[in-house]
Amino acid sequence: MKYRGWILPPALRDFYEGRIWLKEHSPFPKDHIERVIECNYFHIIEGIQKEPHLKCNRCHNQDPWQFTMFDCSKCEQSCIYCRHCLQMGRVSSCTELLIWIGPRAIRSRKHPLKWAGQFTVLQQRAAKEILESIKAKRSHLLAAVCGAGKTELLFPSVHYALEQGLRVCIATPRTDVVLELFPRFQTAFPSTIIHALYGEAPKQQGYAQLVLATTHQLYRFEQAFDVMIVDEADAFPYIIDETLQRAVKKAKKKDSPIVFVTATPSQKLLHQYRNNSYSFIPKRYHNYPLPVPRFCSLWSYEKCFKRGKIPGKLKQWTEERLVLNEPFLIFFPKVELMKIAAPFFQVLDASITTVHAEDPDRKEKVLKLRNEEVRGLLTTTILERGITIKNVQVAVVGAESTIFNSSALIQIAGRVGRHAEFAEGDIVFFHHGITVEMDDARTKILAYNKEGFPQ
């Protein structure tokens, strides 16, 4: 061997195991990568497969409209690159993708679970069913209402898998859900190396047997996980993006099970799992009914904001929250409208601020609301799920807008009443006309309550 006496850095092995990575974007010195290649620890594949059809070998995109030809300065030829996963670094015809085939990282089997909570009868049954499916390597669907304690239900199964020396991934379409789950799993598994992967995530050390990641980050993994859990499995963009769904499948090992977790399962998931591997929890852990949305007309609200004032009913609702010292979320259908409205709310209270998908400070703003440093947040659907604020009250402005489908409205309503001490709360849909989606959301919530609390 050319590099005699060279010892493989454990950090390099720990980083690359299970990943598919651009050679030119390696976080390790170039000479280390070349030495590992000499040792045949990497399988190297081309970035873009041309035959029998175009395919990106990282994200598995096969849509011909998502590829572009360009004059490449690297290989000095005409190259094709994938636009679909461009945000993670360009993959082109001459790109080399590295897949680790060297020594495996050392996996611990000691992962104490430090959770002292108690399951309800329904939670215990669902947790047992999920665990049985994982042991049988059988995929499973958990449908449970918002606030049913879905995260805690996963603890026994994650604990079992980790102590078997398995690698677990909990994937979700939303960064905010990763940020919400990360500290909860750190508290539950204090001796386990856990990584949280999302856009602009800080560098994290060690080999993570438990990975929390956005579904986009799974483009960078290949047959890495023994157990795959998809939280918020109905959320945008995962629910409509086939490449994200393929990313979940390629990131897990071939025979590894997938556990789908959601409060609002799609008909496709229900059809696939309802009759064989399915758990359903129709009520919350604290045994109180789900808050039912009320409808309140807010005619011509856009014109009102553009004239420089808050519509009267919405202003009154906000002032009541401020007087009662209740934290609140007000959902808007468009970022532009939210930004127009923000200064008028700040007249009521200067701490009220906005949050949206492109806001780099959204993590800090949510934390400030939780810590009572701000009174309320104006938000887009970015906070429709994966966020728990004690005693939060919620309003939707423009609930008739197409962006607020029934699933989104159910999730938004599910932010209210999650805490046992504040199991009730106000969820109001301000609208310019009641839609079928609004009616459907309310009807489903009433049906959940009827099933969870039969007469």
Side-chain angles (χ1 to χ4, degrees):
M1 188 179 291
K2 184 177 179 181
Y3 300 99
R4 301 184 72 178
W6 182 73
I7 299 174
L8 172 68
L12 191 151
R13 174 204 62 201
D14 294 348
F15 177 84
Y16 275 105
E17 186 182 319
R19 280 186 162 101
I20 179 167
W21 205 262
L22 275 72
K23 180 182 177 183
E24 60 201 75
H25 286 181
S26 173
F28 295 92
K30 187 176 180 180
D31 64 316
H32 283 198
I33 298 300
E34 294 302 330
R35 290 181 182 186
V36 172
I37 291 171
E38 284 283 330
C39 293
N40 295 317
Y41 289 166
F42 278 128
H43 175 49
I44 302 176
I45 62 174
E46 60 185 355
I48 304 295
Q49 172 185 303
K50 295 180 180 178
E51 299 294 341
H53 48 71
L54 282 177
K55 176 184 175 182
C56 174
N57 278 327
R58 179 173 64 181
C59 75
H60 288 199
N61 168 43
Q62 299 177 53
D63 180 356
W65 298 103
Q66 291 278 357
F67 293 95
T68 298
M69 186 168 287
F70 71 110
D71 293 326
C72 180
S73 58
K74 180 182 173 183
C75 66
E76 299 181 344
Q77 295 181 21
S78 290
C79 259
I80 299 170
Y81 74 89
C82 175
R83 296 201 311 276
H84 188 265
C85 59
L86 184 60
Q87 65 196 43
M88 295 185 167
R90 187 172 66 194
V91 174
S92 60
S93 307
C94 64
T95 297
E96 291 182 311
L97 292 172
L98 304 177
I99 300 175
W100 184 260
I101 55 172
R104 286 183 58 181
I106 299 170
R107 297 190 181 189
S108 170
R109 291 176 178 260
K110 294 181 179 179
H111 299 271
L113 172 58
K114 302 293 184 182
W115 183 67
Q118 295 290 322
F119 285 141
T120 65
V121 173
L122 290 175
Q123 287 177 319
Q124 183 65 52
R125 184 181 69 190
K128 182 181 178 182
E129 289 168 349
I130 295 167
L131 179 57
E132 287 173 350
S133 288
I134 285 177
K135 287 181 177 179
K137 294 188 176 182
R138 179 178 64 238
S139 292
H140 194 96
L141 171 61
L142 168 63
V145 298
C146 297
K150 293 187 289 293
T151 301
E152 289 73 20
L153 285 178
L154 299 175
F155 288 166
S157 293
V158 171
H159 184 228
Y160 165 80
L162 292 173
E163 296 222 316
Q164 295 299 307
L166 304 178
R167 197 177 193 191
V168 180
C169 178
I170 301 175
T172 175
R174 301 288 180 84
T175 296
D176 300 271
V177 178
V178 174
L179 296 174
E180 179 83 13
L181 293 180
F182 189 39
R184 293 166 70 178
F185 275 93
Q186 284 181 313
T187 300
F189 297 95
S191 301
T192 302
I193 296 176
I194 307 173
H195 287 177
L197 305 179
Y198 51 91
E200 306 301 324
K203 187 176 180 181
Q204 296 158 88
Q205 302 295 328
Y207 177 76
Q209 264 184 251
L210 177 55
V211 174
L212 311 181
T214 60
T215 46
H216 281 88
Q217 293 296 320
L218 299 187
Y219 291 149
R220 292 170 163 164
F221 286 89
E222 194 90 10
Q223 297 190 42
F225 301 106
D226 304 288
V227 175
M228 177 67 71
I229 299 169
V230 182
D231 194 14
E232 307 292 357
D234 66 303
F236 178 86
Y238 175 81
I239 192 68
I240 65 164
D241 191 334
E242 291 184 5
T243 61
L244 287 176
Q245 295 166 28
R246 283 199 293 266
V248 165
K249 292 177 181 177
K250 84 178 185 71
K252 74 178 187 70
K253 292 178 181 175
K254 190 174 182 180
D255 61 346
S256 298
I258 306 176
V259 177
F260 297 98
V261 181
T262 178
T264 47
S266 66
Q267 287 303 312
K268 181 180 178 181
L269 279 175
L270 285 171
H271 178 74
Q272 190 172 355
Y273 292 101
R274 188 172 231 164
N275 295 324
N276 47 32
S277 191
Y278 174 68
S279 302
F280 176 55
I281 302 179
K283 61 181 179 179
R284 288 176 162 174
Y285 73 95
H286 53 48
N287 208 34
Y288 285 88
L290 297 165
V292 178
R294 59 187 180 91
F295 299 167
C296 184
S297 60
L298 204 66
W299 309 120
S300 304
Y301 58 88
E302 286 200 48
K303 289 181 181 178
C304 194
F305 283 125
K306 289 175 181 177
R307 289 185 190 130
K309 62 179 182 179
I310 303 172
K313 294 176 184 176
L314 177 58
K315 183 179 181 183
Q316 181 183 353
W317 185 88
T318 307
E319 289 174 334
E320 287 175 1
R321 307 286 75 75
L322 293 170
V323 169
L324 295 171
N325 199 30
E326 295 171 337
F328 60 87
L329 295 170
I330 301 178
F331 287 81
F332 281 79
K334 295 180 288 189
V335 174
E336 298 78 14
L337 183 62
M338 181 180 71
K339 288 183 176 179
I340 290 171
F344 314 133
F345 284 94
Q346 288 164 349
V347 171
L348 302 180
D349 189 285
S351 73
I352 297 172
T353 188
T354 63
V355 63
H356 54 89
E358 303 304 319
D359 188 343
D361 300 320
R362 72 176 190 259
K363 177 183 176 183
E364 290 74 17
K365 289 177 179 179
V366 171
L367 189 60
K368 285 183 178 180
L369 182 65
R370 184 174 286 125
N371 294 339
E372 301 180 2
E373 295 173 36
V374 301
R375 307 291 298 279
L377 291 178
L378 312 184
T379 181
T380 59
T381 54
I382 193 68
L383 296 186
E384 76 179 31
R385 60 184 79 217
I387 175 174
T388 300
I389 303 292
K390 187 177 180 180
N391 197 30
V392 74
Q393 313 297 305
V394 174
V396 180
V397 175
E400 81 289 344
S401 301
T402 54
I403 195 169
F404 295 124
N405 60 26
S406 63
S407 292
L409 291 170
I410 290 169
Q411 291 284 354
I412 288 170
R415 301 311 100 205
V416 179
R418 298 170 73 89
H419 197 280
E421 293 178 26
F422 301 96
E424 298 177 348
D426 194 27
I427 167 64
V428 54
F429 294 167
F430 289 109
H431 63 86
H432 186 76
I434 297 172
T435 63
V436 171
E437 297 293 325
M438 291 167 61
D439 272 335
D440 187 50
R442 192 172 187 275
T443 299
K444 284 179 179 175
I445 290 171
L446 287 168
Y448 292 149
N449 283 341
K450 186 175 181 180
E451 189 162 352
F453 301 90
Q455 296 292 325

